[in-house]
Amino acid sequence: MFGYHIKLRWKYFTILFIASLLPMLLVAVVSDRGSYRLGKAISDKTMQELSETVNREIVTVTQNYATIVQREKASVEFALGIITREAELALASPPPEPRKVYFAEDFDDPATAPVDIMESPIHEMYGDDGSIQMKKVSFMEPNFVLAPGVDHHTVQAQIDQLSSLTPTFRMILNQFGEEIYWLYVGLEQGVHAAYPGHGGYPDKWDHRDRPWYQWAKSRGNVHWGPPIVDATTKRLILTASSAIFDREGVLAGVAGIDLMIPTILLQKEVRSSLSNSVQSFLVGRESMPGGQTIGWILSQTRDNTVFGTREEKLQALKILPQEENDFAPLWPHLAPGSSGSVEMVFRGVDSLCSFAPISEEMYFVLIAPKSLVTRLPEEVGASFEQFARGQDVIFLVAMGVVLLLAAIIAFLVSRSNTKNVISMVGGFKKLEQGDFSVRLAIRYDDERDMVIHTFNQIVPKLEDQLRMSKELAFAKEVQQSLLPHKNPQLTGYEIAGQSIYCEETGGDYYDFIPIDQGRLAIVVGDVSGHGVSSALLMATVRAQLMQRVLLDGSSAKKLDDVNKQLCRDTEENGNFMTMFYAEIDSDQKEMVWVRAGHDPPILYDPRLDQFRELKGEGLALGVFAEYEYEQYCDTLSPGEIICIPTDGIWEITNPAGEMFGKDRLKAIIRENSQVTVDELLSTIITQVKSFCAADKPDDDITLVVIRVL
């Protein structure tokens, strides 16, 4: 380091001593003009390139989030289809045995309300004075509302039929959680059932007059209408509705699902990935009877807007004329299926607006101020101007004293360079503190340029690595939350399971799904490959399976339906998933299973000291959509142990290349047949890890152990 200081100092001394006054003057003039031209050129070029880059990035992000919203929309439509189908089946069936039902007015009186009624933080209710309080709801019972003039006795059969939908309502709400606000079915006869159960309906309220009922009634299929105000909470909601038909194809009623606006807009995710100044919106158009069109805009603030003619304002929404004017440049670009961007003035700020379609008449919109783009070029231009002024001063001083004070000038210039070196150190300190925007804009034309060049190249790579690490950690946390958090409790059985991934995320999957009292579904699956792509496919199959298992049908039929849906998702990428699906009955002590390309589980009978495998025919899921699976059944004897592993256990190798194999696994099962399933599972996992002698295995490892008590 000391040698470099001496070398640079003598370099400056020699150049300054040889240089004459006239060349320095010429250099000063040329350098001054060149610096200004260079600064302006770089600033303009940076502005152009950065504008194009940010534009492309925001459009891509908009399309990605629109795809996420589309998937959420498809999931809601799938749930709505379940409600519609179950309602049509209930209406086509004889009325069930009458059960206790609760009408909306029962919920307004604690003496007549269901026993589980409680305040729900999800269902906030706005008062006329602007106050907010939590609404009381029941998650056990729905509420019924009769339209004005409808006699209770004339529609008793329909009330009993709709009351049979309560398990379906609960199942869907459990799957979606806080994403869903209300589930309901309204009939032409004037009967309305809603879940979770609640009161607070206005006098003479008739569901048949509500916009969502009229939309579905006029269109006949699933429809997403513009935002409306919920009748009981005054919250702004978005509704999907679908017509219900009887056996003759005549309209019997409408099913609907309400969503709160914040669950759709993803505002927090958008700001975390871009900037806090970026805003997200849902923008749509709705064709009304008579040929008029309503335009509507939703944000996460309470200033949500619906606009059109004065007669078309929906209920009591706050109208913001300036908002309508701000969005005026966007409307001509919203053609069906189109995405892109447009520059416009939004709330008095020059902004970049990008849009992507969610449906034919609904768009996801991001608006970012253009200052995000122009700030960096302006800083670059200012830096060059400051640099040019500094050069002028240096050259003016140098011209007067260059010959007599060359050594002194060299010393001063050396100190100036030392400051730049200190700025390099400052850059490293900023990087150490997590500021990845730092870059070194210094040039020396000597060995130090290698350090600067390496620094400027490595900073974005470090940022990418950190971002990827955080995203993988989040993906791991999400995937781990999908796996069972505890072992199930089933009379007559001990059951335990565990998954270990070779990367942050993986493709192995196991689950315990209660079907009804005394019946449990046990699932073990293995997606081809591992990593993020396998984790996404695993999550997709889990969602499909969780919804299908709780519906009626044989085990084979359930996997038929999951396979058909998965083939549509994987037909272009060729991914697939092996699965062993079993249902066990605590009363009958029997197991019904379906093999979808998965290795047969191992069954050990300690009384006979015999092993056998639960075999059966079956292709992997996602290979052939028309394949029909077969199910197999066997009676289980007390003491029998069933191990359902993925191939990551017996195919794992040690440093010598030797596979663990099924024989070692069987030996461990035989030696530990008397311990609990938790201890047996822990012993197997421990010995597998010890065998491979590595911190992480080469493949995902999953194991479920069952003992018949």
Side-chain angles (χ1 to χ4, degrees), residues 25 42 151 202 209 217 225 237 320 387 408 428 482 699 704:
L25 180 60
I42 291 179
D151 182 70
D209 297 331
K217 183 176 179 180
I237 55 174
L320 301 176
F387 174 77
I408 299 176
F428 279 101
L482 299 179
D699 196 3
V704 171

Side-chain angles (χ1 to χ4, degrees), residues 651-672:
E651 291 184 358
I652 197 168
T653 58
N654 60 17
E658 181 183 7
M659 293 180 59
F660 189 79
K662 293 186 179 181
D663 290 340
R664 282 189 175 86
L665 178 59
K666 291 179 180 179
I668 298 173
I669 296 172
R670 177 184 285 114
E671 293 171 2
N672 297 272

Side-chain angles (χ1 to χ4, degrees), residues 616-645:
E617 300 295 328
L619 283 178
L621 299 174
V623 176
F624 180 46
E626 303 305 322
Y627 185 81
E628 295 184 358
Y629 290 91
E630 295 185 20
Q631 66 184 38
Y632 303 87
C633 181
D634 198 353
T635 300
L636 302 177
S637 301
E640 287 185 332
I641 299 173
I642 303 170
C643 287
I644 312 174

Side-chain angles (χ1 to χ4, degrees), residues 362-408:
M362 191 186 308
Y363 293 81
F364 191 84
V365 175
L366 290 182
I367 298 181
K370 291 187 68 176
S371 60
L372 288 177
V373 181
T374 59
R375 185 183 302 119
L376 180 58
E378 291 173 352
E379 292 176 355
V380 171
S383 297
F384 268 94
E385 291 180 4
Q386 183 178 3
F387 174 77
R389 287 194 297 269
Q391 290 295 101
D392 289 342
V393 174
I394 292 175
F395 279 118
L396 289 174
V397 173
M399 283 188 296
V401 295
V402 63
L403 295 179
L404 299 177
L405 303 175
I408 299 176

Side-chain angles (χ1 to χ4, degrees), residues 206-412:
D206 191 338
H207 64 272
R208 295 169 296 187
D209 297 331
R210 296 291 289 170
W212 55 267
Y213 194 97
Q214 297 297 324
W215 296 327
K217 183 176 179 180
S218 63
R219 289 168 172 80
N221 54 4
V222 176
H223 178 72
W224 292 82
I228 61 176
V229 174
D230 180 56
T232 62
T233 64
K234 308 303 181 186
R235 294 291 300 272
L236 195 62
I237 55 174
L238 204 60
T239 302
S241 56
S242 176
I244 300 172
F245 298 95
D246 60 17
R247 290 178 175 177
E248 287 73 33
V250 178
L251 179 74
V254 173
I257 296 179
D258 289 342
L259 302 176
M260 284 196 301
I261 304 307
T263 63
I264 299 294
L265 286 172
L266 306 170
Q267 189 80 5
K268 293 182 179 179
E269 290 82 351
V270 171
R271 289 186 170 181
S272 65
S273 63
L274 290 173
S275 169
N276 286 333
S277 58
V278 176
Q279 300 180 65
S280 63
F281 300 87
L282 285 184
V283 175
R285 291 173 170 172
E286 179 70 17
S287 299
M288 304 297 289
Q292 300 96 341
T293 298
I294 287 181
W296 53 270
I297 302 167
L298 292 178
S299 67
Q300 267 206 322
T301 66
R302 293 185 62 186
D303 296 329
N304 290 304
T305 307
V306 176
F307 56 85
T309 66
R310 288 186 177 275
E311 293 73 25
E312 294 163 350
K313 308 299 183 181
L314 293 185
Q315 301 198 22
L317 297 180
K318 184 176 181 181
I319 306 303
L320 301 176
Q322 71 274 21
E323 189 100 332
E324 181 177 351
N325 294 334
D326 285 338
F327 278 89
L330 176 62
W331 296 106
H333 299 272
L334 298 183
S338 65
S339 61
S341 64
V342 61
E343 294 185 7
M344 66 184 197
V345 177
F346 180 72
R347 297 177 181 173
V349 178
D350 290 336
S351 303
L352 180 65
C353 173
S354 62
F355 56 90
I358 298 172
S359 64
E360 185 176 356
E361 295 180 337
M362 191 186 308
Y363 293 81
F364 191 84
V365 175
L366 290 182
I367 298 181
K370 291 187 68 176
S371 60
L372 288 177
V373 181
T374 59
R375 185 183 302 119
L376 180 58
E378 291 173 352
E379 292 176 355
V380 171
S383 297
F384 268 94
E385 291 180 4
Q386 183 178 3
F387 174 77
R389 287 194 297 269
Q391 290 295 101
D392 289 342
V393 174
I394 292 175
F395 279 118
L396 289 174
V397 173
M399 283 188 296
V401 295
V402 63
L403 295 179
L404 299 177
L405 303 175
I408 299 176
I409 294 174
F411 175 73
L412 295 176

Side-chain angles (χ1 to χ4, degrees), residues 80 164 232 279 362 464 500 602:
L80 182 60
S164 66
T232 62
Q279 300 180 65
M362 191 186 308
D464 288 342
I500 299 175
I602 297 173

